[in-house]
Amino acid sequence: NAGVTQTPKFQVLKTGQSMTLQCAQDMNHEYMSWYRQDPGMGLRLIHYSVGAGITDQGEVPNGYNVSRSTTEDFPLRLLSAAPSQTSVYFCASSTNGRGQPQHFGDGTRLSIL
Amino acid sequence: AQSVTQPDIHITVSEGASLELRCNYSYGATPYLFWYVQSPGQGLQLLLKYFSGDTLVQGIKGFEAEFKRSQSSFNLRKPSVHWSDAAEYFCAVGEGGAGSYQLTFGKGTKLSVIP
């Protein structure tokens, strides 16, 4: 049972490069989300989606793009990486509805030089 | 807007001692509350959740939490801590309906356990 799978686990980028972080889930969950985790800041919501073709912004969306063409996949795109985007990124999924617990991937550790 | 406060950044306890991690929330309606645990290099794992009903909620790994509306608190407890409980713990509150559901997390409490 794979759950939520994130790739890659680690990545180093140079400022200005673009990259896509991949997230896939095999639980047929409607809701998917991306968080970033920074020391002392907890997890902050970047973007989320309540189903294929529907996305919305979270607390810290600037510099990130998402799309949801299938139920299973929810990629996060950095169009022009900046050092401030150095962080650990987590993808999560759940069934729709208030109060549904989210299932997290193991994270992608991203460093931007 | 909803918010979550975890007042303790870092707590150290001896193995076998009791544990209480504090969480205070700000939310207008009846909240949906969660505790998650994160081991180093791992994602977050759900410990327990509160939606309604009994204010004392049992979770996995011997943890429990008590919802106190009058104090806007949802503190996590464990009667006897094991060395394997060393991790970071996050409290979260859920907001919104089916079309706009979001979780807001606290900044976390790191737990160290002394053998």
Side-chain angles (χ1 to χ4, degrees):
Chain A
N1 187 4
V4 178
T5 302
Q6 291 184 236
T7 55
K9 294 190 182 302
F10 303 94
Q11 184 70 48
V12 179
L13 292 178
K14 294 181 180 179
T15 297
Q17 287 185 315
S18 63
M19 176 175 186
T20 299
L21 308 186
Q22 301 291 345
C23 175
Q25 52 92 10
D26 61 359
M27 297 172 281
N28 202 32
H29 285 166
E30 304 96 335
Y31 184 94
M32 296 186 74
S33 55
W34 276 102
Y35 296 88
R36 61 177 289 173
Q37 183 179 30
D38 302 292
M41 298 294 292
L43 278 80
R44 294 180 291 170
L45 182 65
I46 304 171
H47 286 285
Y48 66 98
S49 168
V50 298
I54 306 169
T55 63
D56 206 348
Q57 296 180 352
E59 179 185 356
V60 289
N62 293 342
Y64 306 96
N65 252 0
V66 292
S67 60
R68 184 95 179 269
S69 56
T70 68
T71 299
E72 295 78 19
D73 301 299
F74 190 45
L76 178 72
R77 297 182 185 85
L78 283 70
L79 300 179
S80 179
S84 61
Q85 294 177 303
T86 293
S87 187
V88 181
Y89 291 84
F90 288 98
C91 179
S93 73
S94 71
T95 55
N96 260 344
R98 188 167 177 239
Q100 295 303 317
Q102 296 191 17
H103 301 258
F104 285 80
D106 287 337
T108 295
R109 186 174 296 273
L110 182 62
S111 294
I112 300 168
L113 308 177
Chain B
Q2 61 195 21
S3 65
V4 178
T5 302
Q6 294 181 246
D8 304 305
I9 297 173
H10 191 186
I11 285 181
T12 300
V13 301
S14 298
E15 191 169 17
S18 63
L19 172 70
E20 183 170 30
L21 302 182
R22 296 183 291 166
C23 172
N24 293 98
Y25 67 90
S26 172
Y27 184 63
T30 300
Y32 284 48
L33 295 162
F34 306 83
W35 274 101
Y36 284 86
V37 61
Q38 183 182 32
S39 298
Q42 301 293 313
L44 277 70
Q45 180 184 20
L46 180 69
L47 282 176
L48 47 80
K49 58 187 179 184
Y50 171 78
F51 295 162
S52 63
D54 193 347
T55 56
L56 186 62
V57 180
Q58 301 297 319
I60 63 171
K61 304 185 180 186
F63 285 92
E64 66 179 25
E66 186 172 13
F67 171 62
K68 292 185 178 181
R69 183 186 300 276
S70 61
Q71 299 177 18
S72 296
S73 68
F74 188 56
N75 294 349
L76 182 71
R77 300 194 295 246
K78 187 170 185 178
S80 178
V81 169
H82 189 262
W83 63 266
S84 61
D85 293 324
E88 191 156 18
Y89 292 80
F90 293 93
C91 182
V93 60
E95 177 185 42
S100 63
Y101 180 67
Q102 298 186 36
L103 277 183
T104 298
F105 285 85
K107 294 183 178 182
T109 298
K110 184 176 180 180
L111 174 66
S112 297
V113 180
I114 300 172

